[in-house]
Amino acid sequence: MSMELDVFVGNTTIMDMEVYQLWLDGLTVSDAVKVRMDEGALLECEANPEVLTSDTMDQFRTFQMCERLLHSPTKLGSQLLYQIPAQNQIILIERYYEFDSVFAREVLGKKLSKGTKKDLDDTSCKTGITLKSCRRQFDNFKRVFKVVEELKGPLVENIQRHFLLSDTLARDYAAIVFFANSRFETGKRKLQYLSFQDFAFCAGQLISYWTIGAMGAPTVPDSMMEDMDVDLEKEFLNELKDLKVLVNDKDMMDQHKILVCAALRGKIKVYKLMEVNFKNLSRALINLASKLTHTKDVRDLFIDLVEKFIEPCRYDRWTVAEITLFLTHYTNAAHCLGTFRHQMIWDRYMGVIKSCILQMYHE
Amino acid sequence: MPGKLKAKIVAGRHLPVMDRASDLTDAFVEVKFGNTTFKTDVFPKSLNPQWNSEWFKFEVDDEDLQDEPLQITVLDHDTYSANDAIGKVYIDIDPLLSCEAATVISGWLPIYDTIHGIRGEINVLVKVDLFNDLNRFRQSSCGVKFFCTTSIPRCYRVALVHGFVEELVVNEDPEYQWIDRIRTPRASNEARQRLISLMSGELQRKIGLKVLEMGGNAVVGYLQCFDLEGESGLVVRAIGTACTLDKLSPGTAPNTTTHTNTHTLPNTAPTSNACNSPSKDSKEPVFSEDPPHSLSGPPTPLRTLPSSSPPPFSPSKPCSRQSSSSDTDLSLTPRIGMGSGGSVGKEAGPLKTLLRQHTQSALEQREFPIFTLTCFPPGFLVHVGGVVSTRSVKLLDRIHNPDEPETRDAWWEEIRQEIKSHAKALGCHAVVGYSESTSICEEVCILSASGTAAMLNPRFMREGCLDTGGSDHRLSRQPHPGMVGSERGEGEVSSTWLGFEDASPPSCGFVHIPYDEFNMPFPAQLTYCYHCRRQKVPDVLFTTIDLPAEAEVTGKGCLIQARLCRTKKKAQGEVNATSISNLLPFMEYELHTQLMNKLKLRSMNALFGLRIQISVGENMLLGLASATGVYLSALPAPGGIQIAGKTPSDLSYDQHISTMQKRIDDTIAKNKELYNIHPPECIEEVVGSPIPDRQRSSRLFRSTSESSDELSELDLSHGKKDAFVLEIDDTDAVEDIQSLLTDAPIPAGFYSCNTEVMPGIHNWTSGLQMFTSVRVYRLSNANLTNQGLNKIFTDLCENLLKSLYFKLRSMIPCCLCHLNFTVAVPEEELIQVAVTAVAMSFDKETQQAADKALTRGSGENEEQLQFSMEMCGESTISNNQPTAKPSGVPESAMVHSSRDRCSTWLELLRLKAHTIRRGSVKTISSSERCSPLPEGRSRSLRSTRSLPCGAPVTVVKMTPLSFLPGTRIVKYLGIINMFFIRETTSLREEGGVSGFLHSFIAEVFAMVRAHVAALGGNALVSYSMKECVFMENPNKNQAQCLINVSGDAVIFIRESDQEAIPPLLTSRQTSSTGADGTT
């Protein structure tokens, strides 16, 4: 005797969120049944393995049938096929678009292309996430990217509007889209210690302060609005060249150093080393700024930050607090330089660089 | 030219991509009604076209409006080749034809294709302008309201119940036409869908005509079914109960709708006036055939029958008589009569109706005192006799004139006659809770009908006449040829009725036997009613109706199922029909035995909602009986089950028996606890004397072939109580006991029943989940024995239930209500089980309080009962009012000799076995009796709960019940009756059979919801899935499925939303006191 057919359809679609997670994790039905049994599902309602298998199969099928709708979450609300309570719809969508940060870290900055998708087996092996789940996450990235790429307006809002995601998740997706668009280098060995959250934070900073949309969008004419969050503001990047004066003008550089040293004396343990390295550090940051007009150098932003600034500091055993103090005074001191005329650009640049460095400065 | 149909196509959305090159679609719409077609412009390159068309106007006869659906086809325009159809929408116009139903159809409806399923949605507006007074037109019956609900719809008041209406139409099945060989599957499916839609419309119109002729304005308990007979045709048939309904004015609505029964009922002054006056009004005691039946005992209906009438054991006798007429079935002669006829000379009239008459007069209709209702206003049901059922095996390939309905009409007429005669044999003049069904396998068809024999209160019918000015009705009924007696006589009748009512407290009156105790139609042990102590009641009562609201129940109820599989040899034609006929009585008997055993095991004494389904396959028959068991306080406590070894040979055997006995006793004790059945023990002592002290044990036999000779020898007394004795003398019986005990216990927090509501649960929350579950099992081993099959079948059902419990565990505490199982044998070695039910959660805390109140109340006096129930928010206690006066009718305290149930059953079977020789055979199972109805109480309780804020408006609730807990139905928008076919040639790609069926059922639900929403409704009540035929051919990667669903579209509002809660409560109280006054 064998079960040929076994379906359960509720007027309100029944979805067990625990099983949903197992499905999202890419488990097979039999693995999912095993997991559920280990979690004590058999103790509920006098279930037996047969009942559990039937329920799991049914739930998996339900999710599979709903998956098509989850690809365009706004349809989920207007479709008539499944009657799903609003709060469940939100959970369904949110969970579907949630991703493993380990996986996202792997894909971050890579081109969301077929080629990358083919390499997902490796990613799967490396991260221990099932291939199925990897594919879903990758496809989600790609889908969001495709939709948002073409749209005008603020990135996070666009993602929220089209995918009905929570604010946090939408911000993470914005980071992914931003990285995928600018193709930042994240894969180098030296960057391996950075988590997805580190990068997401940095992306958030870049989006918030360095893109066109960042600076008072309303004043920007409509034609300029395109990709306003996805691409860094060209004009700003060009203006960054002006900061070179801080290292090229020897007087200014010395004065800058004096001001910073005065402010930090006695406040940090690494004062001596700082005093010695000041010019190197300052040069590193300013050079980084001036190079950003080249797309390639934009891509290398993070590796440069690590190589040119974070590593030297780490070598000298700076603490986070010391770095904070240094960068604060380094930034503020520039305002006191009488001849320095690029205060606005300087703040805009250093604000982001400071928060990025602080986020990235850890083991 | 009585009507103008107007349709406007607004927009589409989520359309499929039809042009791969552009990933877009150039969609336009064809709107067709009858032979007229309109088209919209093409809306190029869009998946969300905005047509915003003009109003397309169709000027049509109202007859067509009733028959035809509006057909909307969405197409993709193609310049070079033929336009591709995207899909269709059929819109039933009927709800727009009644002024009280919907006024406009407007909304997003899924575009459906039989091959691809739902493909986007279309927004349409449909209106109807009717020009003339509708009721004057002969061929149309616009304005007659249809309800699937088997009780009086919530916002109506019943003025008059006219009685049974039926109709049947036949057509050639497009699937079997020659053209089907050359057309595409899509075209064939669409032809079929359209045809059935047309036939349903025609059927409804014809039934409407009959209702108008009878003077009614509505059909309640409308049950429409399809018989896919294959080569011989496609039959659409329907039955219902014609009524005159008055819409409750909005002002009075709040109280009446919340508990229709107490309020709308003829329980107040006018009623009694009507009954008292021996005037012409009382001239139509509806069921005049057996006027004096009830009280004084002596002149029982059975005795008044002509000598040819069936003797007490009538269930068997009519059967034997009918079998002679079965010859004619096979020989295809259109039948003129039923041999010696039902039972009474009076019935000569109805015989004529066997010949099809489109204009059947109301008079002849009277000859079928049959009601499809299962829930009644209090007082309507006077007594319940028991279940009456009939089955008949027919050969479809022998129908002389397959395209004409005559033959089938005659078949059903015959069955109804038989049902009626069974009811008579039970001393009853009416059948309630009536339903009909078929099971078809190749050319063999089993027709089944069942119902509950009952005595109804005639005043109910009269009352309406007084205020509705229904002179027509009166006219139609007066010239009743079989009318007994003169005016004076009838006056007496009605006054007797009245007196009777005074004597019987409503909470137990319905269980009192309607038949003569000296001349019982079947063996039963009678005792005095445990409630009123005056009238006789049987020990067990089986019914097909819902538990009457006024019934007093101890503890809770539960679903009881009997399952049976019987192998049969493959055969053709008459041989096949005969072998099926021969098996039927045995199956019925075994199912009955199982039910009885399981009932005893749960310490219960009555079954409600009994539904026995027997499905025929090529090499087996499946029998499934479902019912809700309860402990009726008015009936005696059931005895235990005692196991008796026949050959007490050795010690181990005895031990074995005693272990089993212990297990059974333990189970009974456990069940008592589980269902909270703690009948007052003292009762026996208090009333000891009137209860005849006699040996009341009865015996239960497992094997049908067993001889009954040596039975009486055994000492069967088991303690003080009656005991059912199970003899285990063969492996069969052992298995039987095993299976009895292996019914899995229901998980904690769950209850289940197949009736509208669960006795003993009152405080429903608004948590609601309607579902359908379908399973198909393949029997791998072809050479299975009956027992093996039984085990498989039982496991199948049990596992299905278990899965349901597990799936719905988040709703605990909850009750699965209206559990409706349908079994089928779609192919050799396949068993299909489909379940539709609704899970409703209830509030645990208040539940316990209510339980306490109830158990206490049932054991103690009524005042206390009323008090405690009011404490938990209940106010319709009027039903439990104690009787004021003792019955004026002396009932002889008569010691009834106990009859051996088993031997009579065997006798009956033997009789059947002898008489069944031909293909057409009927078997009857007539059993115990029944009671009134269950809503008022639970509903009023529900109203006191405040509900969580409602979901978005677009949510459409669906339920097989006639109500939604915690809500008030404010409007009925019309009947939803939809038929869909889905076919695939890429079964694997769609997720195999399960994936295919899963999405199809989801699509059907979606389309039903969308149509309800388009009518302006937010719920579908009395939902049922009548048909779910699934066929597959995995080798060809193909599958096909047909689904028919129906229900009533309604608008409900949450009770917590209405401001008028205080008035509601007060009015309820007044209404209940009003009821008190009359009872």
Side-chain angles (χ1 to χ4, degrees):
Chain A
M1 185 178 83
S2 61
M3 184 105 77
E4 184 103 352
L5 182 157
D6 177 15
V7 298
F8 176 100
V9 190
N11 183 36
T12 304
T13 308
I14 293 186
M15 293 176 167
D16 183 325
M17 287 306 155
E18 282 165 33
V19 185
Y20 186 47
Q21 195 54 55
L22 299 176
W23 178 75
L24 289 174
D25 290 343
L27 270 65
T28 59
V29 171
S30 54
D31 287 344
V33 170
K34 238 175 267 163
V35 173
R36 293 181 81 184
M37 270 156 84
D38 293 344
E39 284 169 359
L42 288 186
L43 304 175
E44 288 180 274
C45 268
E46 288 151 43
N48 57 31
E50 208 177 315
V51 166
L52 205 58
T53 309
S54 151
D55 180 63
T56 311
M57 289 222 314
D58 180 73
Q59 290 280 302
F60 272 43
R61 189 168 52 236
T62 307
F63 300 136
Q64 210 172 327
M65 294 196 308
C66 287
E67 192 169 13
R68 187 174 54 83
L69 296 165
L70 288 166
H71 291 167
S72 43
T74 45
K75 268 192 196 166
L76 194 66
S78 65
Q79 55 88 29
L80 303 174
L81 189 52
Y82 304 100
Q83 185 157 278
I84 306 169
Q87 66 270 28
N88 273 13
Q89 290 187 16
I90 295 167
I91 300 173
L92 274 185
I93 295 167
E94 189 77 6
R95 293 260 187 100
Y96 189 78
Y97 281 91
E98 262 169 21
F99 52 82
D100 294 294
S101 39
V102 190
F103 174 79
R105 176 66 188 81
E106 286 298 314
V107 179
L108 207 58
K110 282 183 188 161
K111 203 174 171 188
L112 298 176
S113 63
K114 283 213 174 104
T116 317
K117 197 174 176 181
K118 273 179 197 151
D119 297 338
L120 286 181
D121 324 28
D122 297 340
T123 321
S124 168
C125 288
K126 196 170 160 190
T127 55
I129 299 163
T130 59
L131 183 59
K132 200 170 160 246
S133 178
C134 287
R135 290 212 173 117
R136 172 182 58 85
Q137 299 183 31
F138 182 82
D139 287 340
N140 284 345
F141 293 166
K142 198 170 162 183
R143 193 175 314 113
V144 174
F145 182 81
K146 283 242 161 160
V147 169
V148 178
E149 198 183 28
E150 309 286 313
L151 293 170
K152 299 170 183 178
L155 186 56
V156 178
E157 269 176 48
N158 277 340
I159 292 173
Q160 271 185 298
R161 190 174 322 124
H162 283 87
F163 293 93
L164 310 175
L165 302 178
S166 69
D167 193 56
T168 349
L169 194 55
R171 277 174 201 288
D172 282 349
Y173 267 94
I176 290 162
V177 169
F178 187 74
F179 268 75
N181 186 59
S182 303
R183 308 268 310 283
F184 285 103
E185 175 60 66
T186 62
K188 287 262 166 65
R189 205 178 47 79
K190 281 181 180 165
L191 292 177
Q192 285 308 310
Y193 79 99
L194 291 170
S195 71
F196 169 77
Q197 288 315 324
D198 294 335
F199 283 116
F201 175 83
C202 297
Q205 290 292 311
L206 295 175
I207 293 167
S208 304
Y209 299 104
W210 285 9
T211 56
I212 304 171
M215 307 312 283
T219 61
V220 184
D222 268 1
S223 54
M224 300 277 289
M225 293 281 279
E226 233 164 294
D227 294 344
M228 65 183 214
D229 272 1
V230 185
D231 289 328
L232 298 179
E233 189 185 335
K234 288 259 157 51
E235 213 177 320
F236 165 69
L237 296 179
N238 277 327
E239 286 170 350
L240 283 178
K241 281 186 180 165
D242 299 338
L243 297 180
K244 268 197 161 176
V245 70
L246 282 174
V247 285
N248 289 350
D249 185 328
K250 201 164 179 310
D251 289 348
M252 207 182 270
M253 193 164 170
D254 287 340
Q255 207 181 347
H256 194 185
K257 182 180 171 183
I258 290 164
L259 284 170
V260 173
C261 287
L264 290 178
R265 181 165 302 149
K267 290 191 182 151
I268 57 171
K269 281 185 188 161
V270 287
Y271 180 75
K272 276 269 155 57
L273 292 166
M274 185 274 290
E275 211 176 0
V276 174
N277 279 336
F278 180 84
K279 283 187 182 169
N280 286 336
L281 292 175
S282 182
R283 200 172 283 128
L285 293 177
I286 305 296
N287 282 342
L288 194 61
S290 59
K291 284 199 306 184
L292 287 177
T293 39
H294 305 289
T295 323
K296 191 189 170 298
D297 291 309
V298 172
R299 284 186 194 167
D300 288 342
L301 176 67
F302 295 102
I303 185 77
D304 284 349
L305 274 179
V306 168
E307 283 179 346
K308 307 270 165 59
F309 190 89
I310 291 171
E311 282 189 339
C313 291
R314 198 185 282 150
Y315 187 79
D316 292 341
R317 297 178 184 281
W318 291 50
T319 64
V320 178
E322 285 162 346
I323 293 210
T324 317
L325 266 178
F326 170 76
L327 287 174
T328 312
H329 291 289
Y330 177 74
T331 313
N332 292 343
H335 293 286
C336 305
L337 299 171
T339 47
F340 185 61
R341 254 175 259 134
H342 310 286
Q343 313 286 3
M344 288 273 285
I345 302 292
W346 175 247
D347 280 349
R348 191 173 171 188
Y349 174 70
M350 276 314 290
V352 170
I353 289 293
K354 183 184 151 193
S355 13
C356 288
I357 288 174
L358 292 177
Q359 176 74 30
M360 292 161 71
Y361 194 76
H362 62 81
E363 288 307 308
Chain B
M1 184 56 58
K4 190 189 271 178
L5 171 68
K6 302 191 293 181
K8 184 184 169 96
I9 307 299
V10 184
R13 67 178 182 192
H14 306 157
L15 294 188
V17 169
M18 298 300 283
D19 179 4
R20 294 248 168 75
S22 66
D23 266 4
L24 289 167
T25 297
D26 305 320
F28 70 100
V29 181
E30 273 182 15
V31 187
K32 189 178 174 199
F33 190 83
N35 294 321
T36 318
T37 307
F38 292 105
K39 279 182 193 175
T40 66
D41 297 332
V42 175
F43 193 93
K45 304 206 183 315
S46 172
L47 299 183
N48 300 292
Q50 304 287 322
W51 291 288
N52 230 333
S53 78
E54 59 188 295
W55 282 98
F56 300 121
K57 292 176 183 135
F58 302 88
E59 299 189 331
V60 279
D61 287 338
D62 50 358
E63 188 185 337
D64 290 338
L65 281 173
Q66 285 193 293
D67 287 6
E68 294 258 357
L70 178 68
Q71 182 181 316
I72 294 172
T73 313
V74 185
L75 299 111
D76 176 49
H77 175 75
D78 203 325
T79 320
Y80 304 107
S81 60
N83 298 327
D84 295 324
I86 295 172
K88 286 189 175 179
V89 182
Y90 292 99
I91 300 177
D92 182 11
I93 306 299
D94 219 50
L96 298 180
L97 302 181
S98 163
C99 51
E100 278 167 37
T103 50
V104 64
I105 294 173
S106 162
W108 290 100
L109 299 173
I111 302 165
Y112 182 73
D113 178 73
T114 59
I115 306 292
H116 293 103
I118 290 179
R119 304 175 96 190
E121 291 126 35
I122 187 167
N123 194 319
V124 294
L125 266 167
V126 183
K127 284 183 183 174
V128 172
D129 289 338
L130 287 168
F131 299 152
N132 294 316
D133 181 5
L134 312 165
N135 292 346
R136 275 192 247 137
F137 289 87
R138 266 271 165 257
Q139 288 311 307
S140 77
S141 55
C142 293
V144 173
K145 297 177 281 290
F146 284 79
F147 301 92
C148 295
T149 303
T150 55
S151 54
I152 301 305
R154 303 287 146 151
C155 44
Y156 289 92
R157 197 185 85 94
V158 61
L160 204 63
V161 178
H162 300 276
F164 191 66
V165 279
E166 54 78 33
E167 188 59 80
L168 179 153
V169 291
V170 185
N171 208 309
E172 206 179 339
D173 191 339
E175 191 100 336
Y176 293 87
Q177 285 164 343
W178 67 269
I179 195 172
D180 206 60
R181 286 179 210 161
I182 53 167
R183 65 181 162 194
T184 63
R186 176 181 284 119
S188 164
N189 291 338
E190 282 174 2
R192 238 172 152 190
Q193 282 190 168
R194 192 180 135 71
L195 175 70
I196 288 188
S197 182
L198 271 170
M199 288 168 76
S200 304
E202 182 191 343
L203 195 70
Q204 226 168 301
R205 175 173 57 82
K206 286 184 170 168
I207 286 205
L209 276 173
K210 289 188 177 178
V211 173
L212 290 177
E213 268 169 47
M214 293 165 96
N217 64 4
V219 181
V220 180
Y222 185 67
L223 174 76
Q224 185 192 285
C225 296
F226 298 96
D227 297 329
L228 300 167
E229 291 183 350
E231 295 284 350
S232 60
L234 179 61
V235 176
V236 187
R237 58 191 162 78
I239 54 175
T241 306
C243 296
T244 302
L245 297 182
D246 293 342
K247 183 133 174 70
L248 292 164
S249 63
T252 58
N255 41 24
T256 31
T257 41
T258 41
H259 56 296
T260 326
N261 301 312
T262 45
H263 195 80
T264 58
L265 277 196
N267 45 16
T268 38
T271 322
S272 33
N273 286 345
C275 293
N276 280 327
S277 65
S279 68
K280 320 241 159 164
D281 293 322
S282 54
K283 231 190 265 185
E284 319 101 5
V286 186
F287 305 109
S288 48
E289 293 97 4
D290 37 14
H293 116 281
S294 50
L295 321 175
S296 32
T300 70
L302 287 176
R303 287 194 186 168
T304 57
L305 299 175
S307 55
S308 69
S309 68
F313 291 98
S314 54
S316 58
K317 293 283 183 156
C319 166
S320 61
R321 233 185 285 118
Q322 244 92 76
S323 64
S324 63
S325 61
S326 62
D327 308 3
T328 50
D329 288 330
L330 289 175
S331 60
L332 311 169
T333 326
R335 318 257 274 87
I336 312 186
M338 328 177 15
S340 56
S343 47
V344 222
K346 272 177 253 161
E347 283 176 10
L351 298 182
K352 269 180 258 157
T353 62
L354 292 175
L355 295 172
R356 185 172 189 76
Q357 288 174 336
H358 281 280
T359 54
Q360 227 165 0
S361 73
L363 159 67
E364 280 158 326
Q365 285 299 328
R366 268 282 171 243
E367 292 304 316
F368 289 114
I370 292 176
F371 300 86
T372 54
L373 302 176
T374 59
C375 258
F376 311 91
F380 184 68
L381 211 53
V382 179
H383 296 306
V384 170
V387 171
V388 286
S389 80
T390 297
R391 288 181 209 283
S392 169
V393 183
K394 304 288 183 189
L395 285 172
L396 296 171
D397 55 354
R398 302 293 183 84
I399 299 175
H400 212 35
N401 206 353
D403 294 344
E404 296 300 323
E406 275 85 3
T407 315
R408 283 100 166 175
D409 265 342
W411 289 351
W412 288 111
E413 292 285 348
E414 180 188 293
I415 277 182
R416 290 169 197 141
Q417 285 296 351
E418 186 153 338
I419 283 282
K420 183 186 169 185
S421 70
H422 294 338
K424 275 189 183 298
L426 287 173
C428 294
H429 58 211
V431 175
V432 294
Y434 179 74
S435 65
E436 295 176 346
S437 63
T438 57
S439 170
I440 297 172
C441 176
E442 304 289 321
E443 77 288 353
V444 175
C445 175
I446 303 182
L447 311 182
S448 312
S450 71
T452 304
M455 299 287 296
L456 303 180
N457 191 338
R459 75 176 176 185
F460 185 78
M461 318 277 176
R462 274 197 306 279
E463 196 248 348
C465 292
L466 293 175
D467 43 0
T468 47
S471 52
D472 314 14
H473 328 317
R474 227 177 290 169
L475 276 176
S476 64
R477 272 194 277 141
Q478 260 173 345
H480 194 297
M483 192 84 113
V484 188
S486 62
E487 276 184 33
R488 202 176 59 87
E490 275 158 16
E492 272 171 13
V493 170
S494 57
S495 55
T496 343
W497 274 111
L498 194 67
F500 178 77
E501 277 144 27
D502 280 342
S504 295
S507 64
C508 68
F510 73 96
V511 296
H512 299 162
I513 53 163
Y515 38 83
D516 174 23
E517 62 178 292
F518 300 104
N519 218 348
M520 287 198 296
F522 53 87
Q525 293 132 33
L526 301 182
T527 50
Y528 279 103
C529 172
Y530 276 53
H531 189 263
C532 68
R533 306 270 158 224
R534 275 185 292 274
Q535 307 275 331
K536 290 286 179 71
V537 295
D539 53 345
V540 186
L541 181 61
F542 284 14
T543 74
T544 59
I545 57 170
D546 273 320
L547 184 69
E550 58 264 40
E552 209 176 280
V553 172
T554 303
K556 295 194 177 64
C558 78
L559 178 78
I560 292 180
Q561 279 194 323
R563 301 134 185 160
L564 191 65
C565 242
R566 277 270 173 271
T567 53
K568 102 181 163 54
K569 285 211 178 73
K570 267 197 233 177
Q572 297 289 313
E574 237 170 279
V575 183
N576 195 18
T578 311
S579 68
I580 292 170
S581 302
N582 288 341
L583 275 170
L584 285 178
F586 291 97
M587 292 189 70
E588 298 240 18
Y589 169 68
E590 284 214 31
L591 287 170
H592 182 270
T593 308
Q594 269 190 39
L595 283 176
M596 196 63 105
N597 284 346
K598 290 186 175 180
L599 191 67
K600 299 271 171 194
L601 199 65
R602 285 167 180 80
S603 271
M604 293 175 181
N605 56 19
L607 286 181
F608 288 90
L610 177 64
R611 190 168 165 263
I612 301 178
Q613 199 198 350
I614 291 187
S615 284
V616 58
E618 269 188 63
N619 55 355
M620 65 174 132
L621 285 169
L622 286 180
L624 181 69
S626 308
T628 302
V630 294
Y631 184 103
L632 284 179
S633 313
L635 297 189
I641 295 176
Q642 195 189 355
I643 296 179
K646 209 161 104 184
T647 48
S649 46
D650 59 293
L651 198 67
S652 67
Y653 185 69
D654 283 348
Q655 266 175 347
H656 178 61
I657 285 180
S658 66
T659 343
M660 276 213 279
Q661 181 68 55
K662 191 170 175 313
R663 275 181 68 196
I664 287 182
D665 292 346
D666 289 350
T667 315
I668 292 177
K670 221 165 48 190
N671 280 332
K672 274 189 178 173
E673 204 54 50
L674 180 62
Y675 301 113
N676 212 348
I677 297 172
H678 302 292
E681 290 292 337
C682 56
I683 235 158
E684 200 91 16
E685 293 156 300
V686 179
V687 228
S689 47
I691 295 177
D693 197 1
R694 59 198 159 88
Q695 188 199 29
R696 287 186 295 167
S697 23
S698 60
R699 238 172 265 199
L700 193 57
F701 271 78
R702 154 95 212 115
S703 121
T704 45
S705 55
E706 190 137 9
S707 110
S708 58
D709 295 340
E710 67 261 81
L711 307 173
S712 38
E713 323 294 320
L714 286 160
D715 175 25
L716 300 167
S717 48
H718 174 60
K720 209 166 88 180
K721 290 184 175 170
D722 306 340
F724 242 48
V725 177
L726 276 172
E727 251 188 55
I728 42 168
D729 54 345
D730 55 10
T731 45
D732 263 23
V734 176
E735 297 256 338
D736 196 35
I737 291 166
Q738 294 293 359
S739 74
L740 197 62
L741 292 167
T742 50
D743 257 11
I746 217 167
F750 273 106
Y751 292 95
S752 59
C753 63
N754 74 337
T755 45
E756 283 252 311
V757 277
M758 177 70 160
I761 297 179
H762 309 284
N763 41 342
W764 304 106
T765 66
S766 61
L768 189 83
Q769 172 67 277
M770 188 282 293
F771 60 85
T772 289
S773 184
V774 183
R775 285 189 176 184
V776 176
Y777 278 79
R778 183 172 291 281
L779 306 168
S780 42
N781 186 356
N783 299 320
L784 280 165
T785 58
N786 280 337
Q787 269 166 29
L789 275 173
N790 275 345
K791 170 121 181 41
I792 287 170
F793 185 40
T794 303
D795 287 351
L796 204 166
C797 294
E798 287 288 329
N799 274 328
L800 185 48
L801 279 170
K802 263 190 208 165
S803 282
L804 297 181
Y805 296 138
F806 184 75
K807 183 110 3 218
L808 299 161
R809 65 196 183 284
S810 64
M811 294 184 75
I812 287 179
C814 104
C815 178
L816 304 190
C817 294
H818 216 284
L819 264 169
N820 186 10
F821 276 70
T822 318
V823 292
V825 191
E827 271 174 51
E828 214 179 313
E829 293 177 10
L830 286 187
I831 299 181
Q832 178 186 321
V833 182
V835 186
T836 296
V838 63
M840 300 204 291
S841 55
F842 56 90
D843 209 317
K844 193 135 202 184
E845 270 67 63
T846 36
Q847 180 61 39
Q848 277 159 355
D851 279 353
K852 252 183 234 157
L854 279 171
T855 38
R856 195 158 40 108
S858 61
E860 296 164 25
N861 71 46
E862 260 83 5
E863 258 170 38
Q864 210 167 347
L865 172 71
Q866 188 163 19
F867 172 72
S868 50
M869 284 176 133
E870 272 168 3
M871 288 292 280
C872 53
E874 189 142 355
S875 54
T876 53
I877 304 302
S878 57
N879 303 327
N880 295 324
Q881 283 303 301
T883 357
K885 292 160 265 173
S887 151
V889 188
E891 185 101 29
S892 54
M894 157 67 190
V895 180
H896 206 78
S897 67
S898 73
R899 247 181 269 220
D900 195 313
R901 167 165 319 186
C902 156
S903 62
T904 46
W905 262 108
L906 286 176
E907 196 179 304
L908 188 141
L909 287 175
R910 227 175 283 128
L911 266 170
K912 283 177 185 165
H914 281 304
T915 52
I916 297 163
R917 298 223 175 78
R918 306 290 171 144
S920 165
V921 157
K922 288 144 214 160
T923 62
I924 315 98
S925 76
S926 41
S927 353
E928 288 71 286
R929 335 149 86 247
C930 146
S931 58
L933 81 172
E935 310 144 42
R937 173 181 300 170
S938 46
R939 221 158 279 133
S940 60
L941 248 181
R942 250 174 276 126
S943 69
T944 63
R945 278 197 46 78
S946 66
L947 295 149
C949 275
V953 196
T954 46
V955 170
V956 175
K957 299 209 169 197
M958 285 165 75
T959 175
L961 307 181
S962 62
F963 64 93
L964 290 145
T967 66
R968 195 158 70 75
I969 292 171
V970 290
K971 193 170 186 185
Y972 282 81
L973 298 165
I975 200 168
I976 294 274
N977 186 359
M978 298 170 100
F979 177 85
F980 297 105
I981 302 178
R982 180 85 152 79
E983 187 165 349
T984 184
T985 48
S986 50
L987 189 56
R988 273 187 296 276
E989 294 77 0
E990 294 197 34
V993 283
S994 294
F996 171 71
L997 191 62
H998 191 147
S999 53
F1000 183 38
I1001 295 176
E1003 281 169 349
V1004 169
F1005 284 4
M1007 287 185 278
V1008 169
R1009 285 193 304 258
H1011 281 260
V1012 171
L1015 286 169
N1018 56 3
L1020 186 80
V1021 296
S1022 299
Y1023 163 82
S1024 72
M1025 185 177 278
K1026 305 265 184 47
E1027 207 79 58
C1028 179
V1029 184
F1030 179 76
M1031 288 156 285
E1032 56 163 329
N1033 189 343
N1035 298 331
K1036 283 190 176 170
N1037 207 16
Q1038 286 174 345
Q1040 192 192 35
C1041 186
L1042 295 80
I1043 288 183
N1044 173 223
V1045 292
S1046 64
D1048 296 325
V1050 299
I1051 303 176
F1052 72 83
I1053 55 168
R1054 301 221 168 269
E1055 273 171 3
S1056 50
D1057 291 350
Q1058 65 195 45
E1059 331 102 307
I1061 287 176
L1064 181 106
L1065 287 172
T1066 46
S1067 66
R1068 200 187 298 141
Q1069 254 142 25
T1070 48
S1071 78
S1072 64
T1073 44
D1076 294 351
T1078 47
T1079 47

